[in-house]
mmCIF file of all heavy atoms in Angstrom:
data_model
loop_
_atom_site.group_PDB
_atom_site.id
_atom_site.type_symbol
_atom_site.label_atom_id
_atom_site.label_comp_id
_atom_site.label_asym_id
_atom_site.label_seq_id
_atom_site.Cartn_x
_atom_site.Cartn_y
_atom_site.Cartn_z
ATOM 1 N N PRO A 799 237.651 -4.917 -56.175
ATOM 2 C CA PRO A 799 237.486 -5.430 -54.804
ATOM 3 C C PRO A 799 236.065 -5.345 -54.257
ATOM 4 O O PRO A 799 235.708 -6.103 -53.352
ATOM 5 C CB PRO A 799 238.439 -4.550 -53.988
ATOM 6 C CG PRO A 799 239.473 -4.108 -54.973
ATOM 7 C CD PRO A 799 238.741 -3.922 -56.258
ATOM 8 N N SER A 800 235.254 -4.440 -54.805
ATOM 9 C CA SER A 800 233.887 -4.287 -54.284
ATOM 10 C C SER A 800 232.933 -5.374 -54.759
ATOM 11 O O SER A 800 231.799 -5.471 -54.270
ATOM 12 C CB SER A 800 233.330 -2.921 -54.688
ATOM 13 O OG SER A 800 233.237 -2.808 -56.110
ATOM 14 N N VAL A 801 233.367 -6.202 -55.707
ATOM 15 C CA VAL A 801 232.507 -7.274 -56.211
ATOM 16 C C VAL A 801 232.187 -8.251 -55.074
ATOM 17 O O VAL A 801 233.073 -8.676 -54.332
ATOM 18 C CB VAL A 801 233.185 -8.032 -57.372
ATOM 19 C CG1 VAL A 801 232.405 -9.290 -57.725
ATOM 20 C CG2 VAL A 801 233.292 -7.136 -58.590
ATOM 21 N N LYS A 802 230.910 -8.603 -54.966
ATOM 22 C CA LYS A 802 230.471 -9.562 -53.961
ATOM 23 C C LYS A 802 230.436 -10.960 -54.567
ATOM 24 O O LYS A 802 229.910 -11.159 -55.671
ATOM 25 C CB LYS A 802 229.076 -9.204 -53.436
ATOM 26 C CG LYS A 802 228.978 -7.814 -52.803
ATOM 27 C CD LYS A 802 229.873 -7.694 -51.580
ATOM 28 C CE LYS A 802 229.736 -6.326 -50.932
ATOM 29 N NZ LYS A 802 230.651 -6.162 -49.765
ATOM 30 N N ILE A 803 230.988 -11.928 -53.850
ATOM 31 C CA ILE A 803 231.024 -13.316 -54.307
ATOM 32 C C ILE A 803 230.098 -14.131 -53.418
ATOM 33 O O ILE A 803 230.306 -14.238 -52.206
ATOM 34 C CB ILE A 803 232.455 -13.890 -54.242
ATOM 35 C CG1 ILE A 803 233.435 -12.971 -54.973
ATOM 36 C CG2 ILE A 803 232.478 -15.297 -54.819
ATOM 37 C CD1 ILE A 803 233.131 -12.757 -56.443
ATOM 38 N N ILE A 804 229.053 -14.688 -54.021
ATOM 39 C CA ILE A 804 228.033 -15.429 -53.274
ATOM 40 C C ILE A 804 227.983 -16.869 -53.761
ATOM 41 O O ILE A 804 227.760 -17.130 -54.947
ATOM 42 C CB ILE A 804 226.649 -14.770 -53.429
ATOM 43 C CG1 ILE A 804 226.697 -13.328 -52.889
ATOM 44 C CG2 ILE A 804 225.580 -15.583 -52.712
ATOM 45 C CD1 ILE A 804 225.399 -12.578 -53.053
ATOM 46 N N GLY A 805 228.217 -17.788 -52.853
ATOM 47 C CA GLY A 805 228.167 -19.208 -53.177
ATOM 48 C C GLY A 805 226.795 -19.799 -52.912
ATOM 49 O O GLY A 805 225.976 -19.231 -52.173
ATOM 50 N N VAL A 806 226.539 -20.959 -53.531
ATOM 51 C CA VAL A 806 225.253 -21.639 -53.385
ATOM 52 C C VAL A 806 225.510 -23.089 -52.987
ATOM 53 O O VAL A 806 226.349 -23.766 -53.596
ATOM 54 C CB VAL A 806 224.442 -21.601 -54.697
ATOM 55 C CG1 VAL A 806 223.081 -22.259 -54.505
ATOM 56 C CG2 VAL A 806 224.281 -20.163 -55.194
ATOM 57 N N GLU A 807 224.802 -23.569 -51.968
ATOM 58 C CA GLU A 807 224.905 -24.959 -51.562
ATOM 59 C C GLU A 807 223.521 -25.507 -51.246
ATOM 60 O O GLU A 807 222.586 -24.739 -50.968
ATOM 61 C CB GLU A 807 225.832 -25.112 -50.353
ATOM 62 C CG GLU A 807 225.305 -24.526 -49.053
ATOM 63 C CD GLU A 807 226.203 -24.847 -47.867
ATOM 64 O OE1 GLU A 807 227.127 -25.671 -48.028
ATOM 65 O OE2 GLU A 807 225.974 -24.279 -46.779
ATOM 66 N N PRO A 808 223.345 -26.840 -51.272
ATOM 67 C CA PRO A 808 222.031 -27.428 -50.987
ATOM 68 C C PRO A 808 221.638 -27.245 -49.530
ATOM 69 O O PRO A 808 222.475 -27.376 -48.633
ATOM 70 C CB PRO A 808 222.236 -28.919 -51.318
ATOM 71 C CG PRO A 808 223.488 -28.988 -52.127
ATOM 72 C CD PRO A 808 224.345 -27.858 -51.667
ATOM 73 N N THR A 809 220.383 -26.984 -49.307
ATOM 74 C CA THR A 809 219.878 -26.894 -47.939
ATOM 75 C C THR A 809 220.077 -28.218 -47.214
ATOM 76 O O THR A 809 220.367 -28.252 -46.011
ATOM 77 C CB THR A 809 218.378 -26.541 -47.954
ATOM 78 O OG1 THR A 809 218.199 -25.304 -48.653
ATOM 79 C CG2 THR A 809 217.822 -26.406 -46.549
ATOM 80 N N GLU A 810 219.947 -29.314 -47.948
ATOM 81 C CA GLU A 810 220.038 -30.638 -47.341
ATOM 82 C C GLU A 810 221.471 -31.055 -47.006
ATOM 83 O O GLU A 810 221.679 -32.049 -46.304
ATOM 84 C CB GLU A 810 219.434 -31.690 -48.290
ATOM 85 C CG GLU A 810 217.984 -31.444 -48.656
ATOM 86 C CD GLU A 810 217.813 -30.584 -49.901
ATOM 87 O OE1 GLU A 810 218.744 -29.833 -50.251
ATOM 88 O OE2 GLU A 810 216.742 -30.683 -50.538
ATOM 89 N N SER A 811 222.450 -30.327 -47.520
ATOM 90 C CA SER A 811 223.861 -30.652 -47.259
ATOM 91 C C SER A 811 224.631 -29.344 -47.119
ATOM 92 O O SER A 811 225.538 -29.040 -47.887
ATOM 93 C CB SER A 811 224.435 -31.507 -48.397
ATOM 94 O OG SER A 811 225.726 -31.972 -48.082
ATOM 95 N N ASN A 812 224.281 -28.574 -46.076
ATOM 96 C CA ASN A 812 224.755 -27.190 -45.934
ATOM 97 C C ASN A 812 226.008 -27.100 -45.058
ATOM 98 O O ASN A 812 226.021 -26.410 -44.030
ATOM 99 C CB ASN A 812 223.643 -26.302 -45.390
ATOM 100 C CG ASN A 812 223.066 -26.835 -44.077
ATOM 101 O OD1 ASN A 812 223.317 -27.969 -43.693
ATOM 102 N ND2 ASN A 812 222.283 -26.012 -43.404
ATOM 103 N N ILE A 813 227.057 -27.760 -45.477
ATOM 104 C CA ILE A 813 228.312 -27.802 -44.732
ATOM 105 C C ILE A 813 228.883 -26.403 -44.500
ATOM 106 O O ILE A 813 229.304 -26.047 -43.400
ATOM 107 C CB ILE A 813 229.342 -28.663 -45.479
ATOM 108 C CG1 ILE A 813 228.884 -30.120 -45.512
ATOM 109 C CG2 ILE A 813 230.717 -28.566 -44.831
ATOM 110 C CD1 ILE A 813 228.861 -30.781 -44.159
ATOM 111 N N LEU A 814 228.907 -25.595 -45.539
ATOM 112 C CA LEU A 814 229.529 -24.276 -45.452
ATOM 113 C C LEU A 814 228.742 -23.318 -44.566
ATOM 114 O O LEU A 814 229.278 -22.307 -44.105
ATOM 115 C CB LEU A 814 229.695 -23.680 -46.850
ATOM 116 C CG LEU A 814 230.611 -24.472 -47.781
ATOM 117 C CD1 LEU A 814 230.500 -23.963 -49.208
ATOM 118 C CD2 LEU A 814 232.053 -24.396 -47.293
ATOM 119 N N SER A 815 227.479 -23.628 -44.345
ATOM 120 C CA SER A 815 226.641 -22.789 -43.491
ATOM 121 C C SER A 815 226.576 -23.324 -42.068
ATOM 122 O O SER A 815 225.770 -22.853 -41.260
ATOM 123 C CB SER A 815 225.225 -22.699 -44.076
ATOM 124 O OG SER A 815 225.258 -22.157 -45.389
ATOM 125 N N GLY A 816 227.416 -24.304 -41.787
ATOM 126 C CA GLY A 816 227.459 -24.856 -40.433
ATOM 127 C C GLY A 816 226.606 -26.076 -40.225
ATOM 128 O O GLY A 816 226.490 -26.572 -39.095
ATOM 129 N N GLY A 817 226.004 -26.588 -41.284
ATOM 130 C CA GLY A 817 225.153 -27.768 -41.165
ATOM 131 C C GLY A 817 225.911 -29.070 -41.351
ATOM 132 O O GLY A 817 227.148 -29.115 -41.295
ATOM 133 N N LYS A 818 225.168 -30.122 -41.637
ATOM 134 C CA LYS A 818 225.749 -31.447 -41.796
ATOM 135 C C LYS A 818 225.566 -31.941 -43.233
ATOM 136 O O LYS A 818 224.650 -31.519 -43.930
ATOM 137 C CB LYS A 818 225.083 -32.427 -40.822
ATOM 138 C CG LYS A 818 225.300 -32.098 -39.351
ATOM 139 C CD LYS A 818 224.627 -33.127 -38.459
ATOM 140 C CE LYS A 818 224.865 -32.806 -36.992
ATOM 141 N NZ LYS A 818 224.214 -33.794 -36.087
ATOM 142 N N PRO A 819 226.446 -32.849 -43.677
ATOM 143 C CA PRO A 819 226.281 -33.422 -45.015
ATOM 144 C C PRO A 819 225.054 -34.315 -45.064
ATOM 145 O O PRO A 819 224.653 -34.899 -44.051
ATOM 146 C CB PRO A 819 227.569 -34.239 -45.210
ATOM 147 C CG PRO A 819 228.015 -34.576 -43.818
ATOM 148 C CD PRO A 819 227.624 -33.401 -42.976
ATOM 149 N N GLY A 820 224.447 -34.381 -46.232
ATOM 150 C CA GLY A 820 223.267 -35.218 -46.404
ATOM 151 C C GLY A 820 222.944 -35.405 -47.870
ATOM 152 O O GLY A 820 223.470 -34.695 -48.734
ATOM 153 N N PRO A 821 222.085 -36.376 -48.173
ATOM 154 C CA PRO A 821 221.707 -36.623 -49.571
ATOM 155 C C PRO A 821 220.848 -35.483 -50.119
ATOM 156 O O PRO A 821 220.065 -34.869 -49.390
ATOM 157 C CB PRO A 821 220.910 -37.925 -49.497
ATOM 158 C CG PRO A 821 220.364 -37.943 -48.102
ATOM 159 C CD PRO A 821 221.413 -37.292 -47.245
ATOM 160 N N HIS A 822 221.028 -35.200 -51.390
ATOM 161 C CA HIS A 822 220.238 -34.163 -52.057
ATOM 162 C C HIS A 822 220.165 -34.487 -53.542
ATOM 163 O O HIS A 822 220.781 -35.445 -54.011
ATOM 164 C CB HIS A 822 220.847 -32.781 -51.823
ATOM 165 C CG HIS A 822 222.248 -32.636 -52.333
ATOM 166 N ND1 HIS A 822 222.533 -32.233 -53.619
ATOM 167 C CD2 HIS A 822 223.451 -32.858 -51.742
ATOM 168 C CE1 HIS A 822 223.836 -32.205 -53.799
ATOM 169 N NE2 HIS A 822 224.429 -32.581 -52.673
ATOM 170 N N LYS A 823 219.433 -33.680 -54.285
ATOM 171 C CA LYS A 823 219.189 -33.961 -55.705
ATOM 172 C C LYS A 823 219.899 -33.008 -56.654
ATOM 173 O O LYS A 823 219.696 -33.078 -57.866
ATOM 174 C CB LYS A 823 217.681 -33.916 -55.980
ATOM 175 C CG LYS A 823 216.866 -34.871 -55.127
ATOM 176 C CD LYS A 823 215.372 -34.645 -55.307
ATOM 177 C CE LYS A 823 214.556 -35.527 -54.368
ATOM 178 N NZ LYS A 823 213.090 -35.259 -54.496
ATOM 179 N N ILE A 824 220.754 -32.141 -56.110
ATOM 180 C CA ILE A 824 221.401 -31.129 -56.952
ATOM 181 C C ILE A 824 222.777 -31.652 -57.388
ATOM 182 O O ILE A 824 223.792 -31.395 -56.735
ATOM 183 C CB ILE A 824 221.546 -29.786 -56.213
ATOM 184 C CG1 ILE A 824 220.218 -29.410 -55.540
ATOM 185 C CG2 ILE A 824 221.970 -28.690 -57.189
ATOM 186 C CD1 ILE A 824 220.299 -28.156 -54.696
ATOM 187 N N GLN A 825 222.788 -32.391 -58.470
ATOM 188 C CA GLN A 825 224.036 -32.980 -58.947
ATOM 189 C C GLN A 825 225.046 -31.893 -59.316
ATOM 190 O O GLN A 825 224.729 -30.946 -60.016
ATOM 191 C CB GLN A 825 223.768 -33.878 -60.158
ATOM 192 C CG GLN A 825 222.865 -35.051 -59.859
ATOM 193 C CD GLN A 825 222.678 -35.963 -61.055
ATOM 194 O OE1 GLN A 825 223.515 -36.030 -61.951
ATOM 195 N NE2 GLN A 825 221.564 -36.679 -61.092
ATOM 196 N N GLY A 826 226.277 -32.048 -58.810
ATOM 197 C CA GLY A 826 227.341 -31.121 -59.175
ATOM 198 C C GLY A 826 227.753 -30.169 -58.069
ATOM 199 O O GLY A 826 228.833 -29.589 -58.133
ATOM 200 N N ILE A 827 226.893 -29.986 -57.059
ATOM 201 C CA ILE A 827 227.266 -29.137 -55.926
ATOM 202 C C ILE A 827 226.953 -29.891 -54.637
ATOM 203 O O ILE A 827 226.296 -30.933 -54.654
ATOM 204 C CB ILE A 827 226.551 -27.769 -55.928
ATOM 205 C CG1 ILE A 827 225.050 -27.928 -55.662
ATOM 206 C CG2 ILE A 827 226.787 -27.052 -57.239
ATOM 207 C CD1 ILE A 827 224.323 -26.600 -55.460
ATOM 208 N N GLY A 828 227.424 -29.358 -53.507
ATOM 209 C CA GLY A 828 227.129 -29.986 -52.224
ATOM 210 C C GLY A 828 227.784 -31.334 -52.074
ATOM 211 O O GLY A 828 227.121 -32.354 -51.870
ATOM 212 N N ALA A 829 229.137 -31.367 -52.153
ATOM 213 C CA ALA A 829 229.864 -32.633 -52.117
ATOM 214 C C ALA A 829 229.839 -33.298 -50.750
ATOM 215 O O ALA A 829 230.201 -34.467 -50.624
ATOM 216 C CB ALA A 829 231.320 -32.396 -52.549
ATOM 217 N N GLY A 830 229.437 -32.595 -49.709
ATOM 218 C CA GLY A 830 229.368 -33.188 -48.386
ATOM 219 C C GLY A 830 230.594 -32.936 -47.538
ATOM 220 O O GLY A 830 230.743 -33.512 -46.458
ATOM 221 N N PHE A 831 231.495 -32.085 -48.005
ATOM 222 C CA PHE A 831 232.684 -31.691 -47.258
ATOM 223 C C PHE A 831 233.128 -30.331 -47.775
ATOM 224 O O PHE A 831 232.657 -29.864 -48.813
ATOM 225 C CB PHE A 831 233.812 -32.718 -47.412
ATOM 226 C CG PHE A 831 234.261 -32.904 -48.838
ATOM 227 C CD1 PHE A 831 235.329 -32.183 -49.354
ATOM 228 C CD2 PHE A 831 233.598 -33.792 -49.683
ATOM 229 C CE1 PHE A 831 235.740 -32.334 -50.666
ATOM 230 C CE2 PHE A 831 234.001 -33.948 -51.000
ATOM 231 C CZ PHE A 831 235.070 -33.218 -51.496
ATOM 232 N N VAL A 832 234.022 -29.699 -47.054
ATOM 233 C CA VAL A 832 234.563 -28.421 -47.510
ATOM 234 C C VAL A 832 235.702 -28.717 -48.485
ATOM 235 O O VAL A 832 236.730 -29.275 -48.099
ATOM 236 C CB VAL A 832 235.097 -27.579 -46.334
ATOM 237 C CG1 VAL A 832 235.686 -26.267 -46.854
ATOM 238 C CG2 VAL A 832 233.988 -27.308 -45.329
ATOM 239 N N PRO A 833 235.538 -28.385 -49.754
ATOM 240 C CA PRO A 833 236.552 -28.735 -50.752
ATOM 241 C C PRO A 833 237.891 -28.050 -50.489
ATOM 242 O O PRO A 833 237.935 -26.877 -50.103
ATOM 243 C CB PRO A 833 235.935 -28.240 -52.073
ATOM 244 C CG PRO A 833 234.492 -28.049 -51.789
ATOM 245 C CD PRO A 833 234.393 -27.674 -50.352
ATOM 246 N N LYS A 834 238.977 -28.776 -50.696
ATOM 247 C CA LYS A 834 240.303 -28.200 -50.526
ATOM 248 C C LYS A 834 240.547 -27.071 -51.524
ATOM 249 O O LYS A 834 241.337 -26.168 -51.268
ATOM 250 C CB LYS A 834 241.374 -29.284 -50.708
ATOM 251 C CG LYS A 834 241.325 -30.385 -49.665
ATOM 252 C CD LYS A 834 242.402 -31.425 -49.953
ATOM 253 C CE LYS A 834 242.342 -32.570 -48.949
ATOM 254 N NZ LYS A 834 243.362 -33.606 -49.242
ATOM 255 N N ASN A 835 239.875 -27.158 -52.643
ATOM 256 C CA ASN A 835 240.088 -26.165 -53.697
ATOM 257 C C ASN A 835 239.291 -24.885 -53.473
ATOM 258 O O ASN A 835 239.408 -23.936 -54.236
ATOM 259 C CB ASN A 835 239.717 -26.757 -55.057
ATOM 260 C CG ASN A 835 240.405 -26.056 -56.205
ATOM 261 O OD1 ASN A 835 241.527 -25.590 -56.080
ATOM 262 N ND2 ASN A 835 239.727 -25.986 -57.336
ATOM 263 N N LEU A 836 238.473 -24.853 -52.430
ATOM 264 C CA LEU A 836 237.645 -23.678 -52.158
ATOM 265 C C LEU A 836 238.388 -22.696 -51.264
ATOM 266 O O LEU A 836 238.823 -23.028 -50.169
ATOM 267 C CB LEU A 836 236.339 -24.093 -51.473
ATOM 268 C CG LEU A 836 235.425 -22.950 -51.036
ATOM 269 C CD1 LEU A 836 234.921 -22.160 -52.231
ATOM 270 C CD2 LEU A 836 234.257 -23.487 -50.202
ATOM 271 N N ASP A 837 238.515 -21.466 -51.742
ATOM 272 C CA ASP A 837 239.092 -20.392 -50.944
ATOM 273 C C ASP A 837 237.947 -19.652 -50.261
ATOM 274 O O ASP A 837 237.313 -18.768 -50.849
ATOM 275 C CB ASP A 837 239.901 -19.450 -51.846
ATOM 276 C CG ASP A 837 240.578 -18.339 -51.055
ATOM 277 O OD1 ASP A 837 240.403 -18.288 -49.828
ATOM 278 O OD2 ASP A 837 241.279 -17.523 -51.678
ATOM 279 N N GLU A 838 237.664 -20.024 -49.019
ATOM 280 C CA GLU A 838 236.523 -19.448 -48.317
ATOM 281 C C GLU A 838 236.699 -17.959 -48.029
ATOM 282 O O GLU A 838 235.713 -17.251 -47.785
ATOM 283 C CB GLU A 838 236.289 -20.200 -47.007
ATOM 284 C CG GLU A 838 235.839 -21.638 -47.195
ATOM 285 C CD GLU A 838 235.468 -22.300 -45.889
ATOM 286 O OE1 GLU A 838 234.382 -21.987 -45.344
ATOM 287 O OE2 GLU A 838 236.272 -23.123 -45.396
ATOM 288 N N SER A 839 237.941 -17.483 -48.080
ATOM 289 C CA SER A 839 238.181 -16.075 -47.764
ATOM 290 C C SER A 839 237.591 -15.126 -48.795
ATOM 291 O O SER A 839 237.364 -13.943 -48.503
ATOM 292 C CB SER A 839 239.686 -15.816 -47.630
ATOM 293 O OG SER A 839 240.339 -15.954 -48.895
ATOM 294 N N ILE A 840 237.328 -15.614 -50.006
ATOM 295 C CA ILE A 840 236.763 -14.731 -51.034
ATOM 296 C C ILE A 840 235.243 -14.696 -50.991
ATOM 297 O O ILE A 840 234.611 -13.879 -51.667
ATOM 298 C CB ILE A 840 237.217 -15.137 -52.450
ATOM 299 C CG1 ILE A 840 236.577 -16.470 -52.841
ATOM 300 C CG2 ILE A 840 238.724 -15.177 -52.570
ATOM 301 C CD1 ILE A 840 236.685 -16.777 -54.300
ATOM 302 N N LEU A 841 234.646 -15.594 -50.207
ATOM 303 C CA LEU A 841 233.193 -15.665 -50.145
ATOM 304 C C LEU A 841 232.638 -14.564 -49.241
ATOM 305 O O LEU A 841 233.039 -14.421 -48.095
ATOM 306 C CB LEU A 841 232.740 -17.025 -49.618
ATOM 307 C CG LEU A 841 233.060 -18.242 -50.481
ATOM 308 C CD1 LEU A 841 232.605 -19.515 -49.775
ATOM 309 C CD2 LEU A 841 232.406 -18.135 -51.845
ATOM 310 N N ASP A 842 231.680 -13.810 -49.770
ATOM 311 C CA ASP A 842 230.984 -12.810 -48.971
ATOM 312 C C ASP A 842 229.727 -13.392 -48.338
ATOM 313 O O ASP A 842 229.244 -12.883 -47.324
ATOM 314 C CB ASP A 842 230.607 -11.603 -49.841
ATOM 315 C CG ASP A 842 231.832 -10.846 -50.334
ATOM 316 O OD1 ASP A 842 232.453 -10.150 -49.517
ATOM 317 O OD2 ASP A 842 232.171 -10.987 -51.522
ATOM 318 N N GLU A 843 229.211 -14.456 -48.943
ATOM 319 C CA GLU A 843 227.964 -15.041 -48.450
ATOM 320 C C GLU A 843 227.761 -16.404 -49.093
ATOM 321 O O GLU A 843 228.237 -16.663 -50.197
ATOM 322 C CB GLU A 843 226.786 -14.115 -48.790
ATOM 323 C CG GLU A 843 225.441 -14.574 -48.272
ATOM 324 C CD GLU A 843 224.302 -13.646 -48.691
ATOM 325 O OE1 GLU A 843 224.589 -12.587 -49.301
ATOM 326 O OE2 GLU A 843 223.130 -13.975 -48.401
#
Side-chain angles (χ1 to χ4, degrees):
S800 63
V801 170
K802 301 298 182 183
I803 308 300
I804 300 177
V806 183
E807 69 174 350
T809 302
E810 301 90 338
S811 188
N812 55 347
I813 294 293
L814 298 169
S815 301
K818 297 181 179 180
H822 60 89
K823 303 172 185 177
I824 312 175
Q825 298 183 25
I827 68 172
F831 60 94
V832 179
K834 296 179 182 178
N835 203 33
L836 176 64
D837 182 359
E838 293 186 75
S839 68
I840 69 166
L841 295 177
D842 294 286
E843 183 182 355

